[in-house]
Amino acid sequence: MTTIKINERTKTGKAFMAMFEAFFKGVDGIEIIETGSPKKIKKKEESIYSPEFVAKIKKAEENIKNGETTTLDPNDIWGSLGLK
């Protein structure tokens, strides 16, 4: 027995199913077991990162989008940070 997965939502998948039904309908030994699109099951995956770390990263991404960044001068890092 051989199993073939076909995504019937794609153009190629629809064409294949139409061809299959035209050529093999009623032929012994060949049948379509299941038709229709499978239901997507979303699993909530557990993150390997701590929630605090994720929150810091998301806040940093937000700051970057808003243009809130600091540019460092490699010749005067402490001065760039206002710590001189």
Side-chain angles (χ1 to χ4, degrees):
M1 177 178 277
T2 302
T3 302
I4 301 172
K5 285 180 93 174
I6 302 163
N7 185 347
E8 295 179 69
R9 292 177 286 169
T10 65
K11 191 175 183 179
T12 307
K14 289 176 186 176
F16 181 85
M17 289 305 293
M19 182 202 64
F20 180 84
E21 289 173 0
F23 284 107
F24 299 109
K25 196 167 194 162
V27 175
D28 289 337
I30 299 176
E31 67 177 304
I32 298 175
I33 303 289
E34 182 180 321
T35 59
S37 61
K39 297 191 184 226
K40 292 184 179 181
I41 299 173
K42 289 188 177 182
K43 288 184 180 179
K44 185 177 180 183
E45 294 183 21
E46 249 183 72
S47 177
I48 60 171
Y49 302 105
S50 71
E52 295 84 17
F53 176 75
V54 173
K56 283 182 183 180
I57 298 300
K58 286 184 178 180
K59 184 177 180 193
E61 287 176 343
E62 231 175 84
N63 290 343
I64 291 170
K65 286 180 186 175
N66 295 332
E68 300 170 17
T69 59
T70 302
T71 304
L72 297 178
D73 178 8
N75 298 320
D76 186 20
I77 294 176
W78 295 110
S80 299
L81 295 172
L83 300 173
K84 204 173 192 184

